[in-house]
Amino acid sequence: MNLTDPLHSEDDAARRGLRSLAQKNLAQEVYAELKRGLMTGGFLPGAKLKIRDLADVLGVSPTPVREALMQLVADGALTQTAGRSFAVPELDADDYDEVRRLRVLIEGEGASLAAARATEADVRALEEVHDALIRAKAAGDFRGALIWNEKFHRGLCELSGSKRLIRIVEGLWLHMGPLMNVLYQNRQMPAYSESRHGHLDVLEGLRTRNGDMARDAIQQDITGAAGEILRNLRGSKST
């Protein structure tokens, strides 16, 4: 399935990380599902989102879907044309570089705060997320790798205890999730995955309550694939 294709079935939705919803608080539930799908790379840049298709696969009426899409437009996560269609923005290299630099600052601060607060149980839970990411990479499961990678970064920031920081990070990942597909779109893991993974040093920083170590490690992890992503973005623009 091409992630730019329209949605046609519940199987399509599942592959994008979307789940069928019950009839309760529908607009916010649809918003949460689509937000999660964007943050975990369920849609490529340029993907078109049709209200009727989304309503069908999520098992709801078009009204809450429309409300959720409009909220995502307000968040800057989607664009809307005059014809009322919605799309994932196609960010260029400069856009990505801006998102990356902001992530370095904000997620770095989140990691530092997390090191002062994380319990042993918190660290073990985050380590399990990282292990799942490594298993997905080893199996060539690019979709799973995207999901677990986002979960690690989000989980780390949640340990900071700062609700404002978490909201900022989620806003950045609404753009970052689709961009990660630039790196993974051919179902190939990034080249830097063969070296020691930066998440391991993040976990060590949390265990030892070393905020500087956790900050440096997550910042290096964020910048690790930057060159490859920028080459892909600039290459696609020149072709």
Side-chain angles (χ1 to χ4, degrees):
M1 179 189 69
N2 190 318
L3 291 177
T4 60
D5 291 342
L7 292 163
H8 293 299
S9 67
E10 290 187 7
D11 286 342
D12 284 353
R15 282 191 287 270
R16 296 174 194 263
L18 305 180
R19 300 167 295 187
S20 181
L21 298 176
Q23 299 290 320
K24 182 181 178 182
N25 299 323
L26 288 181
Q28 282 305 306
E29 289 193 45
V30 172
Y31 171 76
E33 282 297 298
L34 294 178
K35 181 178 177 180
R36 189 172 64 89
L38 287 163
M39 290 172 63
T40 59
F43 299 92
L44 281 170
K48 303 297 188 293
L49 280 67
K50 296 183 178 181
I51 292 174
R52 176 58 65 183
D53 289 343
L54 289 168
D56 288 345
V57 298
L58 293 173
V60 299
S61 70
T63 299
V65 174
R66 184 179 297 106
E67 292 176 8
L69 291 173
M70 291 302 299
Q71 189 170 349
L72 287 165
V73 170
D75 291 342
L78 297 177
T79 59
Q80 183 183 22
T81 67
R84 294 186 178 182
S85 63
F86 298 85
V88 179
E90 296 190 67
L91 276 61
D92 60 20
D94 290 338
D95 293 322
Y96 163 72
D97 199 45
E98 180 182 32
V99 172
R100 178 192 60 80
R101 286 186 286 106
L102 289 170
R103 286 186 60 213
V104 165
L105 292 171
I106 303 301
E107 292 189 41
E109 178 65 12
S112 179
L113 292 171
R117 301 180 74 256
T119 65
E120 290 184 9
D122 291 332
V123 178
R124 284 197 300 271
L126 202 59
E127 187 172 26
E128 289 175 1
V129 172
H130 172 71
D131 289 344
L133 164 62
I134 296 304
R135 288 194 297 271
K137 285 187 173 185
D141 176 10
F142 92 112
R143 183 76 190 98
L146 286 170
I147 291 171
W148 289 111
N149 184 61
E150 185 274 338
K151 189 170 184 178
F152 183 93
H153 284 261
R154 176 166 43 86
L156 177 64
C157 289
E158 287 173 351
L159 292 178
S160 73
S162 172
K163 293 181 180 179
R164 291 182 179 87
L165 184 146
I166 294 166
R167 283 196 294 271
I168 293 170
V169 169
E170 287 181 347
L172 294 172
W173 270 89
L174 283 172
H175 299 295
M176 192 64 208
L179 279 174
M180 287 297 286
N181 265 305
V182 175
L183 189 63
Y184 284 43
Q185 60 188 327
N186 295 320
R187 304 196 177 198
Q188 296 176 349
M189 300 300 110
Y192 70 91
S193 64
E194 299 302 322
S195 60
R196 176 177 170 84
H197 204 293
H199 291 180
L200 297 177
D201 290 329
V202 173
L203 292 166
E204 184 62 21
L206 297 182
R207 286 192 193 93
T208 58
R209 295 193 176 277
N210 187 331
D212 289 340
M213 182 180 186
R215 180 198 301 271
D216 290 347
I218 201 64
Q219 289 178 335
Q220 290 174 21
D221 179 68
I222 292 168
T223 58
E228 192 168 348
I229 294 176
L230 286 169
R231 282 192 296 274
N232 274 278
L233 287 170
R234 287 168 178 153
S236 63
K237 185 176 180 180
S238 63
T239 56

